[in-house]
Amino acid sequence: MQTRFLPIVAGLLSGLLLMGCDQPLCQNSPPQYQFAFVAVQGQPLVTDSLQAKTLRLAYTSTSGSKVVVPLTQFRPIPTTTQYRYVYQLGYELLESDALSRQYAIELDEQPVGTLRLTAQRNTNKCDGWMHLTEVQANQKPVSIGTDNVTYQITIDR
């Protein structure tokens, strides 16, 4: 009789373990953030694919050298929205050892503004990712848009 219950108990315990958040299947996907850059008048800052690749982020490393964020970590994505292009922030930038970092926004290798990103690790079960907690453009707070994905950054140009 005990041997009949053993498979049932083992099956129940396995099911409970698989449903726990410590399992990889429970882990949420990392957060995604997009940035749209517009001129003061509200027009898109970049309008074509060649120009879109010239908008980039750079920062100064701890050794004092300039580091340009690669396109894989801050890449332009064409859209059908009023922005023409949004920039997808790679999760690697948030996962770096700096919880808050100041970036220079460059267009055609010329500085056009600053962007400060502050992140904090979410400690909830099934998450554990770094999430943006504050975004500042040119020393002013920027709120996430109504789409809950895009931050609109205004560049005075």
Side-chain angles (χ1 to χ4, degrees), residues 47-130:
T47 56
D48 62 63
S49 62
L50 292 176
Q51 189 183 33
K53 291 179 183 175
T54 69
L55 192 140
R56 61 189 191 178
L57 299 179
Y59 64 94
T60 304
S61 71
T62 54
S63 65
S65 61
K66 178 180 175 180
V67 177
V68 175
V69 175
L71 282 173
T72 57
Q73 293 182 19
F74 194 71
R75 66 185 175 99
I77 300 170
T79 71
T80 57
T81 67
Q82 76 270 21
Y83 303 124
R84 301 264 176 97
Y85 285 87
V86 293
Y87 289 78
Q88 181 79 42
L89 181 72
Y91 183 74
E92 298 83 11
L93 287 182
L94 297 180
E95 186 106 299
S96 70
D97 53 357
L99 297 179
S100 182
R101 181 174 282 157
Q102 176 93 10
Y103 296 92
I105 304 167
E106 297 181 350
L107 184 62
D108 294 322
E109 298 185 17
Q110 298 300 313
V112 294
T114 60
L115 183 66
R116 177 170 289 284
L117 303 177
T118 304
Q120 183 175 9
R121 186 166 305 280
N122 185 325
T123 57
N124 292 333
K125 262 190 160 183
C126 295
D127 195 321
W129 300 106
M130 297 294 285

